[in-house]
Amino acid sequence: MPFSDFVGNPETVHRLREMLARNRFPHAVILSGARGSGKYTLALMLARAMNCLEQPIRGGADSDGLPDFCGRCSNCSRIAQSEDLDSRFAEAVEARENLRDTDKKETRLFVQTHPDVLIIPPDPPQLMIKVDQVRHVIETIYYRPGEARERVYIFTSSAFMKEAANSLLKVLEEPPDFASIFLLTENPGELLPTIRSRSMIFNLGALAVTEIESRLAEVRPGWNARQRALVARLSEGAIGRALSFDLESYVAARSHALIMLKSALDGKDSNNAHTELFKVTESYRSGAEGRAKIDNLVRTFYSLLEDVMFLQSGAAQLVRNTDILGELKKMSESADFAWVQRAAEGLGEVERGLRRNLLRSLSLDAFATALERVS
Ligand SMILES: [Zn+2]
């Protein structure tokens, strides 16, 4: 029973499936929720439930009485090929890169593994939904589906160019009976009010830490309880983030961040601290990997600084890096609130520098030096 694989938000899933059962599924559905909350996973499940050729018998032994999908028929299996969105997206980008220059400009990005199910990701480099993508939706949506019962369109982002949003509105004003549009967003407020009013909004809320922990216990048997607790807290209620969490790189980045913070805090042995710092920043200097590593480091820094602030304000229950609580407590005692504040500001500088593509390690060095100065 594949819908039973969906983790969390059972009421929302139930309502959507009930509308399917009654043949009253809305033409446009806004699925809202944090990154990793399961918006895309759920939209693809619904696309399969609409089009499965071997629907499990409702009322059967392992059925809960609502529409589901088999996961094996030709519609289900082709739609499932879109599940790994990152890989399909990368393939589409690469295919476009290999086109002649004149064609490249006119080619918009799509992911399509079934002829009647179209996924519309934000188009790089701006990472916005562009008007030509919506035009392609308009060109196809009024044709009856060929191999499915329902045409399905999934917009994976709500960052629409203005003209694109206006074109989408035209479709929503006169949608065909046999098509469903999913708009995925972290913030429905980003969509035009006129788009929102023509759609039904469903929210995927954050899951409880314990719920994520117990799911991790099933799928990550190699992790101990402390590791599961850490990942569950860092994922902020988003199951997708927990399931794809790269614990090893996080712990590596965190040990670097801790070295930098500690050496900045105990200025006494500054010679030694400097050598340590130099070693850390040196390892971030180059390579394609460097960028991802440094993004990781910056995120890790924030989570540590926030934890220190939680401890300072007496909200220890909010600390996420629970496995190093002792170390964090020591830091929260030696750093005052203003220091943490300035460190967070310095980190903001590093982030802005990264966006402007300044030499990575240069802005990190500057951050390290700034940390030392404020202490
Ligand atoms: Zn099927």
Side-chain angles (χ1 to χ4, degrees), residues 48 51-56 68-77:
R48 273 171 284 183
N51 293 307
C52 179
L53 301 170
E54 288 164 47
Q55 276 268 352
D68 217 314
F69 54 99
C70 75
R72 293 177 304 271
C73 71
S74 69
N75 280 346
C76 279
S77 53

Side-chain angles (χ1 to χ4, degrees), residues 49-263:
M50 287 169 184
N51 293 307
C52 179
L53 301 170
E54 288 164 47
Q55 276 268 352
I57 298 162
R58 275 187 248 164
D62 17 277
S63 160
D64 60 4
L66 287 172
D68 217 314
F69 54 99
C70 75
R72 293 177 304 271
C73 71
S74 69
N75 280 346
C76 279
S77 53
R78 278 180 293 172
I79 294 170
Q81 285 165 19
S82 291
E83 270 177 339
D84 185 355
L85 183 60
D86 287 345
S87 305
R88 298 292 91 77
F89 179 76
E91 287 161 14
V93 171
E94 199 189 329
R96 181 166 70 181
E97 279 309 305
N98 293 333
L99 294 174
R100 290 181 313 169
D101 276 351
T102 43
D103 296 335
K104 213 183 280 183
K105 264 190 214 124
E106 282 161 26
T107 305
R108 288 288 155 254
L109 223 63
F110 298 102
V111 168
Q112 187 161 34
T113 59
H114 184 289
D116 300 312
V117 178
L118 187 72
I119 290 131
I120 306 105
D123 199 306
Q126 302 90 337
L127 287 178
M128 304 273 287
I129 306 280
K130 295 184 178 150
V131 68
D132 287 341
Q133 289 175 294
V134 180
R135 280 199 188 119
H136 182 63
V137 172
I138 298 175
E139 279 161 17
T140 55
I141 198 168
Y142 295 101
Y143 290 99
R144 290 201 164 273
E147 298 179 47
R149 286 185 293 275
E150 189 92 2
R151 275 188 184 280
V152 178
Y153 294 85
I154 304 173
F155 289 89
T156 64
S157 156
S158 54
F160 281 80
M161 304 278 267
K162 201 172 166 211
E163 217 185 323
N166 287 330
S167 299
L168 176 68
L169 189 58
K170 279 181 214 132
V171 187
L172 296 183
E173 281 164 354
E174 270 181 287
D177 278 341
F178 43 76
S180 291
I181 297 171
F182 289 95
L183 299 160
L184 313 187
T185 181
E186 290 177 35
N187 171 18
E190 268 181 16
L191 293 159
L192 289 179
T194 40
I195 288 182
R196 289 203 304 270
S197 68
R198 285 175 175 79
S199 315
M200 269 185 95
I201 304 183
F202 294 86
N203 182 49
L204 294 180
L207 307 194
V209 167
T210 48
E211 202 171 346
I212 294 184
E213 277 175 328
S214 65
R215 181 68 184 167
L216 286 175
E218 287 165 31
V219 294
R220 295 277 182 277
W223 289 357
N224 62 36
R226 277 175 88 173
Q227 290 170 316
R228 293 197 296 267
L230 172 67
V231 172
R233 278 171 180 76
L234 289 169
S235 316
E236 294 172 337
I239 185 69
R241 283 166 68 184
L243 295 178
S244 60
F245 199 92
D246 185 347
L247 184 59
E248 212 177 309
S249 352
Y250 179 80
V251 171
R254 190 176 67 180
S255 69
H256 286 163
L258 281 172
I259 291 174
M260 291 176 79
L261 284 174
K262 271 194 264 177
S263 70

Side-chain angles (χ1 to χ4, degrees), residues 349-365:
E349 282 292 315
V350 175
E351 269 197 304
R352 282 190 286 282
L354 284 173
R355 255 181 266 132
R356 291 197 303 270
N357 256 326
L358 288 184
L359 270 175
R360 302 176 196 114
S361 55
L362 275 190
S363 52
L364 254 197
D365 285 339

